[in-house]
Amino acid sequence: MSFIVHYVAFLSLAFVVVMSELQYPNESLQYLNKIDNATKSHDDNINFLKTVMEVDYLWWPILNETVRVKRPKIEYFDPYANEAPNGDLEDMEVLPLKNITTLLASNVFVGTDVQLTMDVLKTATACSVLKHISFQGIVFHHLLKKHSSTIPYEERMLFLRWLLDMVHVAVDKLAALDYSLLLITSMHKRLAEIHLSFLNNKTDLDTESLHEIGLDMFTEINNKCVVPEGEEGHYSSLIADLNRIKRIEDLKAHRSLITETMRDSTDIIDIDIMNKIKGEIIINKNIDANGIDTLNESVLKRAYGANYVQMNFLFLNLPIYTLAESQWNTLFKLEKSMQ
């Protein structure tokens, strides 16, 4: 009797599963998932924004990235009215620090306002990523194009790994914010191909694609980011930080305070080469992506090492890993779409 009961229960369960598959195909389930995401509470985002402000000293470079975002021309309307307004959007320039503090100070968390503030912070993070990665990719290209004969194989391999580390960190943090950038994925794919060529002991490497992606990133910077008030170009704040001559000493002195990822990626050879190429970095603050090719070898190397350290310090310590359950799902989807 017990066997029959269990058998009938099993058949009933199987019937329910089959019917569920028939009633709710994959497209329907995806649609239901979108509805769930669109109607879920904004509590997570609000708590996250509060966390950002609690550690604003970590987020400071990003909070000061003025960005361009779009918002509805009519912020509030009755969605059940006979003539609801159209969805026209308008461009606005926003400073994340001001936008977040205004929202939190109001203590009125309307969904559209919270979403706009999240878009501002995500775009600011993307701007910072694009500046660091585009600069690094273009510098790497010119180093190999003009000075490969004077750069030892081990050093070239290390420079490649530094850029790969930066791209991994960027993808990780952007995915945690549920923000994807195809240009970063393109850079990741090309770097993987170059790395394979290195492993096959090819000395003449074509890095022209890195240069092209870097230029495309700078175009995206012009679209998304606003030159900070009082500065001369998009790279201004980045270049100002490159001239921290004590960065190597700081790295060694504060090694115990750096995240586990940074400690794992910073080997003795990194420190040795950083020490060898350290020194004053003289770069005009209004330089753009096309002006990097005018820099000499020593400046290129010094800027390359300094930018690597600077971005790692900034992004590895940003506490945004709790915002997404899986930080790499977006990357895998993007890689499949590009194949």
Side-chain angles (χ1 to χ4, degrees):
M1 184 65 182
S2 176
F3 171 79
I4 295 175
V5 172
H6 283 85
Y7 183 75
V8 171
F10 174 78
L11 287 179
S12 300
L13 179 61
F15 178 78
V16 170
V17 171
V18 171
M19 289 303 294
S20 297
E21 289 289 333
L22 292 174
Q23 292 180 17
Y24 301 105
N26 187 49
E27 292 80 4
S28 298
L29 292 174
Q30 291 180 1
Y31 180 71
L32 290 172
N33 186 53
K34 289 181 180 179
I35 293 177
D36 180 62
N37 288 335
T39 58
K40 70 180 181 181
S41 169
H42 291 287
D43 287 349
D44 289 345
N45 287 338
I46 294 168
N47 290 330
F48 171 66
L49 292 171
K50 289 179 179 178
T51 301
V52 168
M53 297 312 296
E54 288 172 359
V55 288
D56 56 359
Y57 53 89
L58 295 177
W59 284 88
W60 196 254
I62 292 171
L63 292 174
N64 281 282
E65 283 277 1
T66 303
V67 297
R68 293 187 183 94
V69 294
K70 294 183 180 295
R71 68 176 177 185
K73 290 183 177 179
I74 299 178
E75 296 187 23
Y76 310 108
F77 61 89
D78 180 4
Y80 302 103
N82 292 331
E83 295 184 1
N86 58 35
D88 287 346
L89 302 174
E90 63 180 352
D91 290 322
M92 61 180 299
E93 296 182 357
V94 189
L95 180 68
L97 178 63
K98 181 179 179 181
N99 189 239
I100 296 174
T101 53
T102 300
L103 176 72
L104 296 180
S106 71
N107 205 33
V108 179
F109 304 123
V110 178
T112 51
D113 293 343
V114 175
Q115 188 57 53
L116 176 64
T117 303
M118 288 298 298
D119 289 342
V120 168
L121 184 65
K122 292 177 182 181
T123 306
T125 306
C127 282
S128 184
V129 163
L130 286 169
K131 290 176 184 180
H132 284 91
I133 300 296
S134 63
F135 184 85
Q136 198 81 350
I138 295 172
V139 169
F140 184 63
H141 164 70
H142 288 304
L143 275 172
L144 293 188
K145 181 181 179 181
K146 297 181 178 180
H147 310 290
S148 60
S149 60
T150 60
I151 302 176
Y153 174 85
E154 293 77 13
E155 198 168 292
R156 278 178 283 160
M157 177 65 89
L158 181 60
F159 287 169
L160 172 61
R161 184 167 64 78
W162 284 357
L163 183 51
L164 270 170
D165 285 349
M166 291 174 67
V167 172
H168 282 153
V169 170
V171 169
D172 197 36
K173 297 300 182 180
L174 289 172
L177 282 173
D178 194 24
Y179 193 104
S180 59
L181 278 171
L182 284 174
L183 286 173
I184 299 295
T185 306
S186 299
M187 179 71 82
H188 180 273
K189 183 174 182 293
R190 181 63 188 125
L191 284 170
E193 295 169 352
I194 294 176
H195 185 249
L196 183 61
S197 297
F198 261 118
L199 295 178
N200 291 331
N201 294 319
K202 294 181 179 178
T203 54
D204 296 327
L205 299 172
D206 178 17
T207 59
E208 188 59 44
S209 56
L210 295 182
H211 185 231
E212 293 172 357
I213 296 171
L215 293 177
D216 288 342
M217 287 181 181
F218 198 80
T219 300
E220 189 72 1
I221 290 169
N222 278 321
N223 293 332
K224 291 181 180 294
C225 321
V226 179
V227 176
E229 186 176 352
E231 296 189 3
E232 302 174 52
H234 286 299
Y235 287 146
S236 291
S237 57
L238 183 152
I239 290 170
D241 285 344
L242 293 183
N243 281 297
R244 291 178 59 248
I245 299 175
K246 292 183 61 179
R247 68 186 181 278
I248 306 304
E249 287 73 13
D250 290 343
L251 178 63
K252 291 190 292 186
H254 298 287
R255 185 162 181 153
S256 61
L257 302 178
I258 305 173
T259 60
E260 291 296 330
T261 308
M262 183 66 176
R263 282 208 295 271
D264 291 343
S265 66
T266 308
D267 298 324
I268 296 300
I269 187 174
D270 297 56
I271 302 295
D272 290 342
I273 291 183
M274 285 178 188
N275 272 307
K276 185 174 72 172
I277 64 177
K278 72 176 182 178
E280 188 176 9
I281 304 167
I282 302 175
I283 302 177
N284 194 319
K285 289 186 178 181
N286 66 0
I287 195 171
D288 61 11
N290 291 308
I292 295 176
D293 65 342
T294 62
L295 304 177
N296 61 43
E297 181 180 0
S298 61
V299 172
L300 286 171
K301 284 186 176 181
R302 291 169 183 172
Y304 195 82
N307 190 41
Y308 168 70
V309 174
Q310 177 186 328
M311 181 176 165
N312 275 285
F313 268 117
L314 172 59
F315 283 92
L316 284 176
N317 289 290
L318 290 183
I320 56 180
Y321 56 88
T322 58
L323 204 60
E325 293 181 2
S326 176
Q327 300 179 29
W328 290 93
N329 283 344
T330 304
L331 172 63
F332 295 148
K333 290 177 183 177
L334 288 173
E335 285 184 336
K336 289 181 180 178
S337 69
M338 294 183 65
Q339 291 176 353

